Amino acid sequence: EYDKPMLQAIGNEELQKQFRNTLKPFYGALKTMDGYIKFAFLTGVTKFGKVSVFSDLNNLDDISMRKDYVEICRHRGLDDEAALAEKAIADMEKTVLDAGWDGEWFLRAYDHYKNKIGSKECEDGKIYIEPQGFCVMAEIGLKEGNCLKAMESVEKYLDTKYGIVLLQPPYHRYHVELGEISSYPPGYKENAGIFCHNNPWISIAETVVGRGNRAWQVYTRTCPAYIEDISEIHRTEPYVYSQMIAGKDAPNFGEAKNSWLTGTAAWTFLNASQYILGIRPDYDGLIVDPCIPSFMDGFTAKRDFRGTTYHIEVENPDHVEKGIASVTVDGNAFEGNLIPVDAGKKEVHVKVIMG
């Protein structure tokens, strides 16, 4: 229970600082090992929201009280816990739609004074990137059309030729209730800069609503392999992601800063491999669910998974963005796109026809 010292000192600023400085290096070291961490259970995580301990742990994927957690519980036979989590998820989704939907996009938050942040009612900062990505990835309001509308709003208000800005319009004066985000010049850092770290969230979200063309466009606008021809504008190493790129409101629009200092590569690998190509692990096997740009004829991939090598061939004869017409496994017709694990095989050949 790492939250205990922080909670006990919540009113003591000096002690808070000491505890924070002690805990941050621990989580920083843990973050460097994320390539080896498959599952970690941390208690009290959500209680740290106001003490800034977890900025060094932003590459881990928190699945607490999420649908993934429900599935884990079901597989472990923890049906009561799964039911509890399902109810909590349903309650949260209702709350988000009731109090967090602004008509065309999801709100960012409410401030200390219960005023909306990231709303069309705001003077500046009317729409933010983060809630659009995460709420759509969570499929909140997917059936009702909210997710598609949120993605359309991102494209309309936040999109630029160098990537998606964090918010719009930028803050032009300091807001004491918001703090640091409103202290930067317009177009830089959190004040409407292009944060590479959260652009993959939008690309993943676009695959949720089935827009492969748009997912690909978002992916390529910050990917180093696709922007070498603007190196004189970008002005950082052409082979690595940067923390941020100056947004459209900045004098040096398109100029990157703080190369290497970002979790973008990890999120982009997840986006490209598991959501655009659509090859992702599941509890009972390997899912193949591509969401690709319509110009692609298909692709081939090899995936080592639980001791078996999967040779995957995807064909896209009708040039759709998402959808599966047929699947064959080792030459035999297969129903669905969750390929079960077969411990007796070292190699499996999967062919997917999109349509």
Side-chain angles (χ1 to χ4, degrees):
E1 291 264 353
Y2 295 108
D3 58 334
K4 195 168 185 178
M6 302 301 295
L7 292 174
Q8 288 181 337
I10 202 73
N12 187 328
E13 290 188 12
E14 182 58 35
L15 200 54
Q16 280 274 298
K17 183 178 180 180
Q18 293 179 26
F19 286 156
R20 187 182 299 115
N21 290 340
T22 298
L23 287 171
K24 279 175 71 67
F26 167 76
Y27 290 115
L30 186 61
K31 178 177 175 179
T32 66
M33 304 299 290
D34 64 352
Y36 303 97
I37 298 172
K38 301 303 181 186
F39 180 79
F41 188 80
L42 301 175
T43 61
V45 172
T46 55
K47 297 179 182 179
F48 280 121
K50 296 183 180 180
V51 292
S52 301
V53 171
F54 280 86
S55 60
D56 287 319
L57 199 59
N58 57 9
N59 272 357
L60 297 186
D61 188 15
D62 180 12
I63 67 168
S64 55
M65 292 301 122
R66 217 174 68 182
K67 294 171 184 176
D68 293 330
Y69 181 65
V70 173
E71 290 301 313
I72 289 174
C73 290
R74 295 250 186 258
H75 278 75
R76 298 290 297 170
L78 304 173
D79 292 337
D80 290 343
E81 177 74 3
L84 182 67
E86 275 186 321
K87 183 180 184 305
I89 291 166
D91 290 345
M92 178 56 70
E93 288 181 345
K94 184 178 186 304
T95 299
V96 171
L97 291 174
D98 289 346
W101 178 250
D102 202 51
E104 294 182 73
W105 57 79
F106 292 97
L107 294 174
R108 179 65 175 87
Y110 286 82
D111 67 18
H112 178 74
Y113 306 101
K114 300 181 181 179
N115 297 316
K116 294 177 181 178
I117 302 173
S119 166
K120 61 183 66 174
E121 300 173 13
C122 299
E123 173 189 12
D124 293 319
K126 295 176 183 291
I127 177 173
Y128 280 69
I129 187 175
E130 300 98 332
Q132 318 319 321
F134 269 91
C135 289
V136 176
M137 283 193 285
E139 300 181 3
I140 298 175
L142 178 62
K143 294 179 180 178
E144 296 83 353
N146 301 67
C147 292
L148 178 57
K149 190 171 288 187
M151 291 296 94
E152 290 172 341
S153 294
V154 168
E155 187 172 9
K156 181 177 179 180
Y157 298 108
L158 301 180
D159 203 25
T160 80
K161 61 183 178 180
Y162 299 129
I164 301 169
V165 298
L166 192 141
L167 59 85
Q168 275 293 296
Y171 293 102
H172 293 87
R173 63 179 179 85
Y174 183 72
H175 290 253
V176 66
E177 74 278 10
L178 300 177
E180 181 182 2
I181 192 171
S182 62
S183 69
Y184 297 111
Y188 289 104
K189 296 284 282 184
E190 283 86 349
N191 192 14
I194 299 164
F195 259 71
C196 295
H197 190 127
N198 50 37
N199 271 241
W201 304 345
I202 299 301
S203 186
I204 294 172
E206 289 288 6
T207 70
V208 172
V209 298
R211 302 207 303 178
N213 288 331
R214 177 66 179 151
W216 180 260
Q217 184 184 60
V218 172
Y219 162 65
T220 56
R221 281 184 172 166
T222 59
C223 180
Y226 289 90
I227 58 176
E228 190 173 356
D229 59 344
I230 60 164
S231 292
E232 76 283 359
I233 299 172
H234 204 246
R235 299 185 66 186
T236 54
E237 302 94 322
Y239 46 82
V240 66
Y241 283 102
S242 298
Q243 181 199 53
M244 63 84 61
I245 299 166
K248 61 183 179 180
D249 303 286
N252 298 324
F253 178 34
E255 181 179 286
K257 296 185 182 298
N258 301 336
S259 57
W260 300 97
L261 185 65
T262 176
T264 307
W267 271 105
T268 298
F269 179 75
L270 181 79
N271 173 36
S273 62
Q274 297 193 23
Y275 290 92
I276 294 178
L277 298 183
I279 303 169
R280 56 183 176 269
D282 192 71
Y283 307 103
D284 298 314
L286 198 62
I287 292 174
V288 183
D289 186 25
C291 185
I292 59 177
S294 57
F295 67 78
M296 287 183 65
D297 297 322
F299 62 88
T300 59
K302 184 178 78 170
R303 177 68 154 87
D304 293 327
F305 180 63
R306 297 181 186 173
T308 301
T309 298
Y310 290 79
H311 301 276
I312 300 167
E313 180 183 1
V314 174
E315 294 183 1
N316 189 18
D318 297 327
H319 292 275
V320 299
E321 297 174 64
K322 192 169 185 175
I324 295 175
S326 67
V327 178
T328 58
V329 178
D330 289 333
N332 300 312
F334 184 82
E335 192 71 30
N337 63 339
L338 172 59
I339 316 303
V341 175
D342 188 341
K345 292 184 177 180
K346 290 298 182 183
E347 292 189 319
V348 173
H349 294 266
V350 180
K351 186 171 183 177
V352 174
I353 307 296
M354 296 181 66

